[in-house]
Amino acid sequence: MRTQTQPAPLWQNWARTARATPRRFASPSTEAEVAALVATEAAEGGQVRVVGAGHSFTPAAVSDGLLLQLDALDDLEWVGPPAADGSRLVRVGAGIRLRALCRLLAEHGLALENLGDIDAQSVAGAISTGTHGTGATLRGLADQVRGVRLVGATGEVVEADQDQHRELFEVARLGLGSVGVLTAVTLRCVPAFTLTADERPRPLGAVLEALDDEAGPVHANDHFEFYWFPYTDVVLTKANNRGGDAGPLSPVLRMVDDEILSNGVFEVTNRLCTVVKSLTPKVNWVAARALSARRYTAPSYEVFATPRRVRFREMEYALPAHAVVPALRAMNTWLRHTGETVPFPVEVRFAAADDVWLSTAYGRDTAYVAVHQYHRLPFARYFRAVEDIMRSHDGRPHWGKLHRRRAEDLAPAYPRFDDAARVRRAADPEGLFANEYTDRVLGGR
């Protein structure tokens, strides 16, 4: 075990929006070591938080006590027998990164049913913050969790699922790590599948008009999302459907589109807009019209995830699905009125209602609206204005992305919020797994 007993070096998240200098930093290699470290910190009246890839934009992982990194807990523990629908339960170490998990599952002929567009996160971090993908009939990653193993506030190891410690399970699978340190996760996985990706630019107005249509793109595709470039009337639509035989994307085209254009040139244009802000509408206009259509078939996890090398800050809100069009129109009006420098596109995705207590899609079909800002540009005014619009449409903020909400105004948005708070108090009465962020958004004890 590599445990630092002196003050650890400064830790920063990927977006550089959160930082900490914990009293101790540890990378345990076994669950028993995690339990011992937690018990010691509890006895000393300290604080424990866990960091994965640092892809949360919030201070969720910040700790001035013990900061744990669980990268070594990345084993495949077991694969269960197939169910009638071909799905299998798979147990993996909670520190495994999504990218590694997808490849491991593929070796066993399996896949995650849905996935977000970034696969750098640890499994524990992804489920604990409510990571989701897109698909009107599909739910977020936490809904795929069927059981967890965690280290509790006294250093005990607890198994929790829908049959044992059910309430603890609900908060453990999506609760910002507020009831213990996840060490293993049981996931429902489906037989491996391919996706045919169809990506093409379309007029913004036409896409918005079709969103509520039962035969529109949201409902007609397994997975649908779009990116809107502010100050333009163009969106890039991405429709991914199971099966198909469009053939693989050529390595040259992938390099040009995903690396040179989406990362290399995009970094340059963002820097240009940082220096000459008045160029932003023209740059976005050129970028939107430079988009070309492409269609290809590949294993699901290769289609879901895309490389993101341009550093940014992000806020995302979950809206009732019917509210997305008026919300986007209000954003468009605000941007054109203020002329805010926004060279990043707005991302819109969709998900089915679920019953995970703290899920942003709890009890309602959902549209997700994510706004981004280049890390060298100010974001506060833009995000504040968008947040006001989202709140006017009963929006719920993503737990792992920037927002200004607090427990007192989040509680009415979640029918099971008080239940989650009760479970948290019982599981961690002394606040061992708390920090300023969890207290702000989940409430103190």
Side-chain angles (χ1 to χ4, degrees):
M1 178 173 65
R2 304 182 300 278
T3 304
Q4 297 181 11
T5 56
Q6 298 301 316
L10 174 70
W11 171 83
Q12 296 186 96
N13 65 346
W14 179 84
R16 305 296 187 262
T17 53
R19 54 188 54 84
T21 304
R23 180 167 49 86
R24 287 194 298 168
F25 180 90
S27 300
S29 57
T30 67
E31 184 177 74
E33 290 175 352
V34 174
L37 286 161
V38 169
T40 297
E41 193 70 14
E44 295 175 357
Q47 175 192 73
V48 179
R49 295 300 292 167
V50 180
V51 60
H55 265 274
S56 174
F57 295 83
T58 72
V62 167
S63 173
D64 58 8
L66 172 63
L67 190 61
L68 293 175
Q69 186 170 60
L70 305 183
D71 287 9
L73 302 187
D74 63 351
D75 292 336
L76 172 64
E77 294 191 9
W78 49 259
V79 177
D85 62 359
S87 66
R88 291 175 180 243
L89 297 183
V90 175
R91 172 155 285 191
V92 294
I96 192 170
R97 302 296 173 89
L98 290 175
R99 182 180 299 118
L101 172 62
C102 289
R103 292 171 179 164
L104 183 65
L105 292 176
E107 294 174 4
H108 291 267
L110 296 169
L112 295 175
E113 185 174 41
N114 203 5
L115 189 65
D117 55 7
I118 297 176
D119 59 4
Q121 307 102 312
S122 68
V123 166
I127 65 174
S128 295
T129 56
T131 293
H132 59 90
T134 189
T137 63
L138 297 165
R139 298 175 171 186
L141 195 59
D143 187 76
Q144 299 174 50
V145 177
R146 292 296 183 267
V148 299
R149 200 166 65 237
L150 72 161
V151 175
T154 62
E156 79 282 14
V157 177
V158 180
E159 294 266 3
D161 54 34
Q162 293 174 331
D163 296 320
Q164 55 183 337
H165 304 295
R166 181 167 186 170
E167 292 194 329
L168 180 66
F169 167 68
E170 286 293 345
V171 187
R173 65 171 167 168
L174 202 173
L176 294 170
S178 61
V179 293
V181 177
L182 292 175
T183 54
V185 178
T186 302
L187 296 161
R188 176 186 175 272
C189 300
V190 300
F193 59 99
T194 60
L195 286 172
T196 294
D198 190 338
E199 303 172 5
R200 61 186 63 247
R202 295 182 60 193
L204 171 64
V207 171
L208 294 186
E209 288 176 8
L211 288 185
D212 292 332
D213 190 336
E214 288 293 331
V218 176
H219 305 285
N221 295 285
D222 294 331
H223 312 267
F224 178 78
E225 62 187 300
F226 65 89
Y227 294 81
W228 164 53
F229 291 79
Y231 304 109
T232 80
D233 58 358
V234 178
V235 298
L236 172 66
T237 61
K238 302 179 71 173
N240 300 327
N241 290 286
R242 289 195 173 210
D245 56 358
L249 190 64
S250 77
V252 173
L253 184 57
R254 183 180 292 276
M255 175 63 71
V256 170
D257 285 353
D258 294 346
E259 294 295 345
I260 297 176
L261 294 179
S262 297
N263 285 292
V265 173
F266 193 49
E267 173 73 34
V268 172
T269 58
N270 273 268
R271 290 191 179 218
L272 177 61
C273 292
T274 301
V275 176
V276 188
K277 295 180 173 59
S278 61
L279 289 178
T280 301
K282 292 182 180 179
V283 168
N284 286 5
W285 188 91
V286 171
R289 282 154 181 78
L291 297 171
S292 59
R294 65 179 189 176
R295 191 168 184 269
Y296 65 96
T297 302
S300 59
Y301 61 93
E302 293 183 9
V303 176
F304 283 136
T306 55
R308 299 288 184 90
R309 311 198 199 287
V310 179
R311 203 177 302 276
F312 58 87
R313 281 73 188 266
E314 181 177 358
M315 179 177 72
E316 182 178 74
Y317 258 79
L319 302 177
H322 63 80
V324 65
V325 173
L328 288 172
R329 294 195 189 282
M331 288 173 57
N332 189 24
T333 298
W334 184 87
L335 284 164
R336 291 184 180 276
H337 176 72
T338 62
E340 191 77 3
T341 303
V342 183
F344 255 86
V346 175
E347 182 179 17
V348 181
R349 294 179 288 174
F350 304 88
D354 64 39
D355 58 0
V356 180
W357 286 6
L358 293 179
S359 167
T360 49
Y362 183 92
R364 68 190 192 192
D365 290 339
T366 296
Y368 289 97
V369 178
V371 293
H372 313 73
Q373 183 63 293
Y374 184 53
H375 73 107
R376 298 175 187 270
L377 283 167
F379 64 87
R381 186 172 81 142
Y382 176 37
F383 284 15
R384 184 167 56 251
V386 172
E387 185 164 53
D388 289 344
I389 292 169
M390 298 300 150
R391 290 190 66 172
S392 73
H393 291 284
D394 196 22
R396 298 167 177 164
H398 190 297
W399 297 105
K401 298 178 183 179
L402 296 172
H403 64 93
R404 298 175 298 150
R405 304 288 292 274
R406 306 186 68 86
E408 51 265 34
D409 63 77
L410 284 169
Y414 290 90
R416 304 302 298 268
F417 193 93
D418 289 344
D419 289 321
R422 171 177 52 79
V423 172
R424 182 182 175 221
R425 287 193 297 269
D428 184 22
E430 302 301 321
L432 176 66
F433 303 115
N435 68 3
E436 184 178 342
Y437 178 68
T438 61
D439 282 347
R440 174 167 73 86
V441 300
L442 298 178
R445 289 147 313 283

